[in-house]
Amino acid sequence: MSTITVQEIRTAADALVAAFAEGRLDDYFGAFAPDATFVFHTTPQRLGSTAEYRALWQRWVEEDGFRVLGCVSSEPLVQPFGDTAVFSHDVQTRVATHAGEETLLERETIVFARSEDGAWLAVHEHLSPRTAA
């Protein structure tokens, strides 16, 4: 396992999580390949592209007043496999909607792939609920 690859993935994952936590949506969605797929426990169907996810996010904002107030990542694990890598971690996310504020405890897996220019882009995200420790 290459230490450089692990650090590159950690850097890419940290940037993605920070953009999400800070509401920098262009940076957040820009961390994903256009054809990335998404599986969320809160959504009945798999999302087949970053554009589809972004459109759903916009609907959450318009219909529910959705916004992210903060996100903390813990227990990170990076597993490199050549030009792909699996990043998994626990996330604690504070969100707000018209109904009020809520803290979500989830586990997330993000698959990264090295693009032609050498950058690591997320190509798949899976989010599942977790119980408090």
PDB file of all heavy atoms in Angstrom, residues 74-105:
ATOM      1  N   SER A  74     -15.165  10.857  11.171  1.00  0.00           N
ATOM      2  CA  SER A  74     -14.312  10.145  12.123  1.00  0.00           C
ATOM      3  C   SER A  74     -14.115   8.705  11.646  1.00  0.00           C
ATOM      4  O   SER A  74     -14.837   8.224  10.775  1.00  0.00           O
ATOM      5  CB  SER A  74     -14.933  10.169  13.519  1.00  0.00           C
ATOM      6  OG  SER A  74     -16.188   9.520  13.517  1.00  0.00           O
ATOM      7  N   GLU A  75     -13.150   8.043  12.234  1.00  0.00           N
ATOM      8  CA  GLU A  75     -12.844   6.645  11.917  1.00  0.00           C
ATOM      9  C   GLU A  75     -12.580   6.415  10.432  1.00  0.00           C
ATOM     10  O   GLU A  75     -13.112   5.465   9.833  1.00  0.00           O
ATOM     11  CB  GLU A  75     -13.978   5.722  12.395  1.00  0.00           C
ATOM     12  CG  GLU A  75     -14.276   5.801  13.877  1.00  0.00           C
ATOM     13  CD  GLU A  75     -13.094   5.387  14.745  1.00  0.00           C
ATOM     14  OE1 GLU A  75     -12.353   4.454  14.366  1.00  0.00           O
ATOM     15  OE2 GLU A  75     -12.909   6.013  15.798  1.00  0.00           O
ATOM     16  N   PRO A  76     -11.739   7.241   9.790  1.00  0.00           N
ATOM     17  CA  PRO A  76     -11.494   7.066   8.363  1.00  0.00           C
ATOM     18  C   PRO A  76     -10.660   5.815   8.070  1.00  0.00           C
ATOM     19  O   PRO A  76      -9.784   5.439   8.846  1.00  0.00           O
ATOM     20  CB  PRO A  76     -10.728   8.331   7.980  1.00  0.00           C
ATOM     21  CG  PRO A  76     -10.007   8.703   9.243  1.00  0.00           C
ATOM     22  CD  PRO A  76     -10.948   8.341  10.358  1.00  0.00           C
ATOM     23  N   LEU A  77     -10.963   5.189   6.954  1.00  0.00           N
ATOM     24  CA  LEU A  77     -10.182   4.061   6.458  1.00  0.00           C
ATOM     25  C   LEU A  77     -10.017   4.233   4.960  1.00  0.00           C
ATOM     26  O   LEU A  77     -10.999   4.441   4.249  1.00  0.00           O
ATOM     27  CB  LEU A  77     -10.900   2.735   6.750  1.00  0.00           C
ATOM     28  CG  LEU A  77     -10.264   1.474   6.152  1.00  0.00           C
ATOM     29  CD1 LEU A  77      -8.886   1.222   6.776  1.00  0.00           C
ATOM     30  CD2 LEU A  77     -11.180   0.276   6.328  1.00  0.00           C
ATOM     31  N   VAL A  78      -8.772   4.166   4.485  1.00  0.00           N
ATOM     32  CA  VAL A  78      -8.478   4.246   3.058  1.00  0.00           C
ATOM     33  C   VAL A  78      -7.930   2.894   2.621  1.00  0.00           C
ATOM     34  O   VAL A  78      -6.992   2.371   3.223  1.00  0.00           O
ATOM     35  CB  VAL A  78      -7.453   5.355   2.747  1.00  0.00           C
ATOM     36  CG1 VAL A  78      -7.073   5.339   1.270  1.00  0.00           C
ATOM     37  CG2 VAL A  78      -7.994   6.716   3.149  1.00  0.00           C
ATOM     38  N   GLN A  79      -8.515   2.349   1.548  1.00  0.00           N
ATOM     39  CA  GLN A  79      -8.065   1.085   0.980  1.00  0.00           C
ATOM     40  C   GLN A  79      -7.765   1.302  -0.506  1.00  0.00           C
ATOM     41  O   GLN A  79      -8.684   1.317  -1.317  1.00  0.00           O
ATOM     42  CB  GLN A  79      -9.140   0.013   1.144  1.00  0.00           C
ATOM     43  CG  GLN A  79      -9.498  -0.284   2.587  1.00  0.00           C
ATOM     44  CD  GLN A  79     -10.730  -1.154   2.673  1.00  0.00           C
ATOM     45  OE1 GLN A  79     -11.844  -0.649   2.589  1.00  0.00           O
ATOM     46  NE2 GLN A  79     -10.522  -2.455   2.816  1.00  0.00           N
ATOM     47  N   PRO A  80      -6.496   1.510  -0.864  1.00  0.00           N
ATOM     48  CA  PRO A  80      -6.159   1.723  -2.271  1.00  0.00           C
ATOM     49  C   PRO A  80      -6.082   0.406  -3.042  1.00  0.00           C
ATOM     50  O   PRO A  80      -5.648  -0.615  -2.501  1.00  0.00           O
ATOM     51  CB  PRO A  80      -4.789   2.397  -2.203  1.00  0.00           C
ATOM     52  CG  PRO A  80      -4.241   2.077  -0.870  1.00  0.00           C
ATOM     53  CD  PRO A  80      -5.377   1.725   0.025  1.00  0.00           C
ATOM     54  N   PHE A  81      -6.541   0.447  -4.282  1.00  0.00           N
ATOM     55  CA  PHE A  81      -6.500  -0.699  -5.188  1.00  0.00           C
ATOM     56  C   PHE A  81      -6.080  -0.201  -6.568  1.00  0.00           C
ATOM     57  O   PHE A  81      -6.906  -0.067  -7.469  1.00  0.00           O
ATOM     58  CB  PHE A  81      -7.874  -1.385  -5.270  1.00  0.00           C
ATOM     59  CG  PHE A  81      -8.378  -1.885  -3.944  1.00  0.00           C
ATOM     60  CD1 PHE A  81      -9.299  -1.151  -3.209  1.00  0.00           C
ATOM     61  CD2 PHE A  81      -7.925  -3.087  -3.425  1.00  0.00           C
ATOM     62  CE1 PHE A  81      -9.770  -1.610  -1.986  1.00  0.00           C
ATOM     63  CE2 PHE A  81      -8.388  -3.564  -2.195  1.00  0.00           C
ATOM     64  CZ  PHE A  81      -9.307  -2.823  -1.476  1.00  0.00           C
ATOM     65  N   GLY A  82      -4.816   0.135  -6.723  1.00  0.00           N
ATOM     66  CA  GLY A  82      -4.334   0.653  -8.009  1.00  0.00           C
ATOM     67  C   GLY A  82      -4.877   2.046  -8.272  1.00  0.00           C
ATOM     68  O   GLY A  82      -4.662   2.960  -7.483  1.00  0.00           O
ATOM     69  N   ASP A  83      -5.623   2.176  -9.374  1.00  0.00           N
ATOM     70  CA  ASP A  83      -6.178   3.477  -9.744  1.00  0.00           C
ATOM     71  C   ASP A  83      -7.564   3.724  -9.158  1.00  0.00           C
ATOM     72  O   ASP A  83      -8.286   4.627  -9.596  1.00  0.00           O
ATOM     73  CB  ASP A  83      -6.224   3.629 -11.265  1.00  0.00           C
ATOM     74  CG  ASP A  83      -4.847   3.900 -11.858  1.00  0.00           C
ATOM     75  OD1 ASP A  83      -3.961   4.359 -11.107  1.00  0.00           O
ATOM     76  OD2 ASP A  83      -4.659   3.650 -13.056  1.00  0.00           O
ATOM     77  N   THR A  84      -7.956   2.894  -8.192  1.00  0.00           N
ATOM     78  CA  THR A  84      -9.187   3.126  -7.443  1.00  0.00           C
ATOM     79  C   THR A  84      -8.871   2.999  -5.956  1.00  0.00           C
ATOM     80  O   THR A  84      -7.842   2.432  -5.575  1.00  0.00           O
ATOM     81  CB  THR A  84     -10.309   2.119  -7.804  1.00  0.00           C
ATOM     82  OG1 THR A  84      -9.873   0.808  -7.492  1.00  0.00           O
ATOM     83  CG2 THR A  84     -10.700   2.223  -9.260  1.00  0.00           C
ATOM     84  N   ALA A  85      -9.739   3.524  -5.141  1.00  0.00           N
ATOM     85  CA  ALA A  85      -9.573   3.414  -3.690  1.00  0.00           C
ATOM     86  C   ALA A  85     -10.936   3.529  -3.039  1.00  0.00           C
ATOM     87  O   ALA A  85     -11.829   4.222  -3.534  1.00  0.00           O
ATOM     88  CB  ALA A  85      -8.644   4.508  -3.173  1.00  0.00           C
ATOM     89  N   VAL A  86     -11.066   2.848  -1.911  1.00  0.00           N
ATOM     90  CA  VAL A  86     -12.290   2.902  -1.127  1.00  0.00           C
ATOM     91  C   VAL A  86     -11.979   3.698   0.140  1.00  0.00           C
ATOM     92  O   VAL A  86     -11.026   3.395   0.860  1.00  0.00           O
ATOM     93  CB  VAL A  86     -12.789   1.495  -0.768  1.00  0.00           C
ATOM     94  CG1 VAL A  86     -14.012   1.566   0.142  1.00  0.00           C
ATOM     95  CG2 VAL A  86     -13.086   0.694  -2.029  1.00  0.00           C
ATOM     96  N   PHE A  87     -12.784   4.708   0.385  1.00  0.00           N
ATOM     97  CA  PHE A  87     -12.684   5.520   1.600  1.00  0.00           C
ATOM     98  C   PHE A  87     -13.966   5.299   2.380  1.00  0.00           C
ATOM     99  O   PHE A  87     -15.063   5.495   1.844  1.00  0.00           O
ATOM    100  CB  PHE A  87     -12.522   7.005   1.239  1.00  0.00           C
ATOM    101  CG  PHE A  87     -12.601   7.924   2.425  1.00  0.00           C
ATOM    102  CD1 PHE A  87     -11.510   8.093   3.256  1.00  0.00           C
ATOM    103  CD2 PHE A  87     -13.775   8.608   2.714  1.00  0.00           C
ATOM    104  CE1 PHE A  87     -11.582   8.937   4.362  1.00  0.00           C
ATOM    105  CE2 PHE A  87     -13.854   9.453   3.814  1.00  0.00           C
ATOM    106  CZ  PHE A  87     -12.750   9.616   4.640  1.00  0.00           C
ATOM    107  N   SER A  88     -13.851   4.894   3.635  1.00  0.00           N
ATOM    108  CA  SER A  88     -15.041   4.767   4.475  1.00  0.00           C
ATOM    109  C   SER A  88     -14.803   5.501   5.783  1.00  0.00           C
ATOM    110  O   SER A  88     -13.656   5.634   6.238  1.00  0.00           O
ATOM    111  CB  SER A  88     -15.392   3.291   4.714  1.00  0.00           C
ATOM    112  OG  SER A  88     -14.309   2.607   5.302  1.00  0.00           O
ATOM    113  N   HIS A  89     -15.888   5.987   6.359  1.00  0.00           N
ATOM    114  CA  HIS A  89     -15.796   6.737   7.616  1.00  0.00           C
ATOM    115  C   HIS A  89     -17.175   6.851   8.244  1.00  0.00           C
ATOM    116  O   HIS A  89     -18.189   6.531   7.628  1.00  0.00           O
ATOM    117  CB  HIS A  89     -15.170   8.125   7.385  1.00  0.00           C
ATOM    118  CG  HIS A  89     -15.975   9.023   6.493  1.00  0.00           C
ATOM    119  ND1 HIS A  89     -15.974  10.387   6.623  1.00  0.00           N
ATOM    120  CD2 HIS A  89     -16.802   8.769   5.458  1.00  0.00           C
ATOM    121  CE1 HIS A  89     -16.750  10.942   5.707  1.00  0.00           C
ATOM    122  NE2 HIS A  89     -17.261   9.979   4.991  1.00  0.00           N
ATOM    123  N   ASP A  90     -17.183   7.303   9.489  1.00  0.00           N
ATOM    124  CA  ASP A  90     -18.426   7.653  10.169  1.00  0.00           C
ATOM    125  C   ASP A  90     -18.625   9.151  10.010  1.00  0.00           C
ATOM    126  O   ASP A  90     -17.650   9.917  10.031  1.00  0.00           O
ATOM    127  CB  ASP A  90     -18.348   7.316  11.660  1.00  0.00           C
ATOM    128  CG  ASP A  90     -18.317   5.823  11.925  1.00  0.00           C
ATOM    129  OD1 ASP A  90     -18.615   5.031  11.010  1.00  0.00           O
ATOM    130  OD2 ASP A  90     -17.995   5.437  13.062  1.00  0.00           O
ATOM    131  N   VAL A  91     -19.860   9.562   9.827  1.00  0.00           N
ATOM    132  CA  VAL A  91     -20.153  10.995   9.726  1.00  0.00           C
ATOM    133  C   VAL A  91     -21.269  11.374  10.684  1.00  0.00           C
ATOM    134  O   VAL A  91     -22.214  10.616  10.895  1.00  0.00           O
ATOM    135  CB  VAL A  91     -20.516  11.435   8.283  1.00  0.00           C
ATOM    136  CG1 VAL A  91     -19.306  11.454   7.394  1.00  0.00           C
ATOM    137  CG2 VAL A  91     -21.593  10.570   7.676  1.00  0.00           C
ATOM    138  N   GLN A  92     -21.101  12.536  11.269  1.00  0.00           N
ATOM    139  CA  GLN A  92     -22.135  13.149  12.100  1.00  0.00           C
ATOM    140  C   GLN A  92     -22.451  14.476  11.435  1.00  0.00           C
ATOM    141  O   GLN A  92     -21.596  15.369  11.374  1.00  0.00           O
ATOM    142  CB  GLN A  92     -21.636  13.356  13.519  1.00  0.00           C
ATOM    143  CG  GLN A  92     -22.666  13.986  14.420  1.00  0.00           C
ATOM    144  CD  GLN A  92     -22.199  14.065  15.870  1.00  0.00           C
ATOM    145  OE1 GLN A  92     -21.558  13.162  16.367  1.00  0.00           O
ATOM    146  NE2 GLN A  92     -22.526  15.171  16.517  1.00  0.00           N
ATOM    147  N   THR A  93     -23.667  14.588  10.917  1.00  0.00           N
ATOM    148  CA  THR A  93     -24.051  15.754  10.121  1.00  0.00           C
ATOM    149  C   THR A  93     -25.208  16.480  10.773  1.00  0.00           C
ATOM    150  O   THR A  93     -26.212  15.849  11.144  1.00  0.00           O
ATOM    151  CB  THR A  93     -24.451  15.314   8.694  1.00  0.00           C
ATOM    152  OG1 THR A  93     -23.400  14.532   8.132  1.00  0.00           O
ATOM    153  CG2 THR A  93     -24.725  16.519   7.813  1.00  0.00           C
ATOM    154  N   ARG A  94     -25.064  17.772  10.914  1.00  0.00           N
ATOM    155  CA  ARG A  94     -26.167  18.618  11.391  1.00  0.00           C
ATOM    156  C   ARG A  94     -26.825  19.256  10.182  1.00  0.00           C
ATOM    157  O   ARG A  94     -26.147  19.879   9.359  1.00  0.00           O
ATOM    158  CB  ARG A  94     -25.646  19.695  12.347  1.00  0.00           C
ATOM    159  CG  ARG A  94     -25.295  19.133  13.717  1.00  0.00           C
ATOM    160  CD  ARG A  94     -24.867  20.200  14.736  1.00  0.00           C
ATOM    161  NE  ARG A  94     -25.565  21.463  14.632  1.00  0.00           N
ATOM    162  CZ  ARG A  94     -24.992  22.609  14.192  1.00  0.00           C
ATOM    163  NH1 ARG A  94     -23.745  22.652  13.827  1.00  0.00           N
ATOM    164  NH2 ARG A  94     -25.699  23.717  14.165  1.00  0.00           N
ATOM    165  N   VAL A  95     -28.138  19.075  10.072  1.00  0.00           N
ATOM    166  CA  VAL A  95     -28.891  19.648   8.963  1.00  0.00           C
ATOM    167  C   VAL A  95     -30.064  20.447   9.511  1.00  0.00           C
ATOM    168  O   VAL A  95     -30.504  20.238  10.643  1.00  0.00           O
ATOM    169  CB  VAL A  95     -29.399  18.565   7.981  1.00  0.00           C
ATOM    170  CG1 VAL A  95     -28.237  17.811   7.353  1.00  0.00           C
ATOM    171  CG2 VAL A  95     -30.371  17.619   8.646  1.00  0.00           C
ATOM    172  N   ALA A  96     -30.552  21.330   8.678  1.00  0.00           N
ATOM    173  CA  ALA A  96     -31.756  22.098   9.011  1.00  0.00           C
ATOM    174  C   ALA A  96     -32.733  21.991   7.848  1.00  0.00           C
ATOM    175  O   ALA A  96     -32.330  21.963   6.685  1.00  0.00           O
ATOM    176  CB  ALA A  96     -31.403  23.561   9.277  1.00  0.00           C
ATOM    177  N   THR A  97     -34.014  21.919   8.204  1.00  0.00           N
ATOM    178  CA  THR A  97     -35.103  21.977   7.233  1.00  0.00           C
ATOM    179  C   THR A  97     -36.181  22.864   7.842  1.00  0.00           C
ATOM    180  O   THR A  97     -36.029  23.362   8.965  1.00  0.00           O
ATOM    181  CB  THR A  97     -35.689  20.571   6.944  1.00  0.00           C
ATOM    182  OG1 THR A  97     -36.276  20.071   8.152  1.00  0.00           O
ATOM    183  CG2 THR A  97     -34.627  19.609   6.415  1.00  0.00           C
ATOM    184  N   HIS A  98     -37.278  23.018   7.131  1.00  0.00           N
ATOM    185  CA  HIS A  98     -38.400  23.782   7.681  1.00  0.00           C
ATOM    186  C   HIS A  98     -38.884  23.176   8.997  1.00  0.00           C
ATOM    187  O   HIS A  98     -39.438  23.872   9.837  1.00  0.00           O
ATOM    188  CB  HIS A  98     -39.562  23.848   6.688  1.00  0.00           C
ATOM    189  CG  HIS A  98     -39.245  24.566   5.412  1.00  0.00           C
ATOM    190  ND1 HIS A  98     -38.607  25.775   5.376  1.00  0.00           N
ATOM    191  CD2 HIS A  98     -39.480  24.216   4.122  1.00  0.00           C
ATOM    192  CE1 HIS A  98     -38.460  26.150   4.118  1.00  0.00           C
ATOM    193  NE2 HIS A  98     -38.982  25.229   3.336  1.00  0.00           N
ATOM    194  N   ALA A  99     -38.654  21.857   9.186  1.00  0.00           N
ATOM    195  CA  ALA A  99     -39.104  21.167  10.401  1.00  0.00           C
ATOM    196  C   ALA A  99     -38.176  21.412  11.592  1.00  0.00           C
ATOM    197  O   ALA A  99     -38.531  21.088  12.717  1.00  0.00           O
ATOM    198  CB  ALA A  99     -39.210  19.669  10.132  1.00  0.00           C
ATOM    199  N   GLY A 100     -36.993  21.973  11.353  1.00  0.00           N
ATOM    200  CA  GLY A 100     -36.051  22.229  12.443  1.00  0.00           C
ATOM    201  C   GLY A 100     -34.692  21.621  12.169  1.00  0.00           C
ATOM    202  O   GLY A 100     -34.389  21.218  11.048  1.00  0.00           O
ATOM    203  N   GLU A 101     -33.875  21.546  13.213  1.00  0.00           N
ATOM    204  CA  GLU A 101     -32.521  21.000  13.088  1.00  0.00           C
ATOM    205  C   GLU A 101     -32.497  19.546  13.513  1.00  0.00           C
ATOM    206  O   GLU A 101     -33.270  19.132  14.372  1.00  0.00           O
ATOM    207  CB  GLU A 101     -31.534  21.806  13.943  1.00  0.00           C
ATOM    208  CG  GLU A 101     -31.304  23.198  13.428  1.00  0.00           C
ATOM    209  CD  GLU A 101     -30.231  23.943  14.212  1.00  0.00           C
ATOM    210  OE1 GLU A 101     -29.452  23.310  14.954  1.00  0.00           O
ATOM    211  OE2 GLU A 101     -30.172  25.175  14.073  1.00  0.00           O
ATOM    212  N   GLU A 102     -31.567  18.793  12.918  1.00  0.00           N
ATOM    213  CA  GLU A 102     -31.439  17.375  13.216  1.00  0.00           C
ATOM    214  C   GLU A 102     -29.972  16.974  13.074  1.00  0.00           C
ATOM    215  O   GLU A 102     -29.255  17.512  12.226  1.00  0.00           O
ATOM    216  CB  GLU A 102     -32.288  16.581  12.214  1.00  0.00           C
ATOM    217  CG  GLU A 102     -32.298  15.098  12.408  1.00  0.00           C
ATOM    218  CD  GLU A 102     -33.196  14.386  11.394  1.00  0.00           C
ATOM    219  OE1 GLU A 102     -33.720  15.025  10.472  1.00  0.00           O
ATOM    220  OE2 GLU A 102     -33.340  13.169  11.538  1.00  0.00           O
ATOM    221  N   THR A 103     -29.537  16.048  13.908  1.00  0.00           N
ATOM    222  CA  THR A 103     -28.190  15.486  13.786  1.00  0.00           C
ATOM    223  C   THR A 103     -28.322  14.064  13.274  1.00  0.00           C
ATOM    224  O   THR A 103     -29.046  13.247  13.850  1.00  0.00           O
ATOM    225  CB  THR A 103     -27.457  15.497  15.141  1.00  0.00           C
ATOM    226  OG1 THR A 103     -27.312  16.857  15.563  1.00  0.00           O
ATOM    227  CG2 THR A 103     -26.075  14.866  15.019  1.00  0.00           C
ATOM    228  N   LEU A 104     -27.630  13.785  12.177  1.00  0.00           N
ATOM    229  CA  LEU A 104     -27.683  12.475  11.535  1.00  0.00           C
ATOM    230  C   LEU A 104     -26.393  11.720  11.816  1.00  0.00           C
ATOM    231  O   LEU A 104     -25.296  12.281  11.657  1.00  0.00           O
ATOM    232  CB  LEU A 104     -27.856  12.640  10.022  1.00  0.00           C
ATOM    233  CG  LEU A 104     -29.025  13.516   9.570  1.00  0.00           C
ATOM    234  CD1 LEU A 104     -28.952  13.764   8.077  1.00  0.00           C
ATOM    235  CD2 LEU A 104     -30.338  12.873   9.954  1.00  0.00           C
ATOM    236  N   LEU A 105     -26.511  10.477  12.234  1.00  0.00           N
ATOM    237  CA  LEU A 105     -25.361   9.600  12.433  1.00  0.00           C
ATOM    238  C   LEU A 105     -25.377   8.573  11.315  1.00  0.00           C
ATOM    239  O   LEU A 105     -26.333   7.800  11.194  1.00  0.00           O
ATOM    240  CB  LEU A 105     -25.439   8.900  13.794  1.00  0.00           C
ATOM    241  CG  LEU A 105     -25.470   9.809  15.017  1.00  0.00           C
ATOM    242  CD1 LEU A 105     -25.620   8.969  16.283  1.00  0.00           C
ATOM    243  CD2 LEU A 105     -24.229  10.677  15.085  1.00  0.00           C
TER     244      LEU A 105
END
